[in-house]
Amino acid sequence: MPREKEAYRDNLESLKCFLDEKYGDNRHLMNVKDICEYTGRSFDFVKKHYGIKKIGVSIETFARQLS
């Protein structure tokens, strides 16, 4: 079984805090606009480099991509 990277848990916690402060609920799905705001990157950059679909991505998957 592969081990998770060290930064994964930190990224996941940071994403949870970001969404909780923004929306005030326990959502686990980020859309492209949320990711742009979190990373400070442009819409085109996020779509190209992270491969986010129209629906969005779970915070668990995005934390893995950031690690």
Side-chain angles (χ1 to χ4, degrees), residues 47-60:
K47 294 281 283 186
K48 181 179 178 183
H49 287 86
Y50 295 119
I52 308 301
K53 304 290 186 224
K54 184 177 181 180
I55 297 172
V57 65
S58 71
I59 61 172
E60 292 83 7

Side-chain angles (χ1 to χ4, degrees), residues 5-16:
K5 296 182 181 178
E6 290 181 28
Y8 171 73
R9 294 284 172 182
D10 295 332
N11 289 336
L12 185 60
E13 186 63 32
S14 177
L15 290 168
K16 283 182 184 179

Side-chain angles (χ1 to χ4, degrees), residues 20-46:
D20 188 41
E21 288 176 14
K22 184 171 181 178
Y23 295 109
D25 58 10
N26 289 329
R27 71 180 64 200
H28 284 258
L29 187 67
M30 295 180 81
N31 58 30
V32 177
K33 186 178 175 185
D34 292 334
I35 294 171
C36 290
E37 188 177 328
Y38 179 77
T39 60
R41 298 291 190 150
S42 70
F43 183 86
D44 292 331
F45 181 91
V46 169

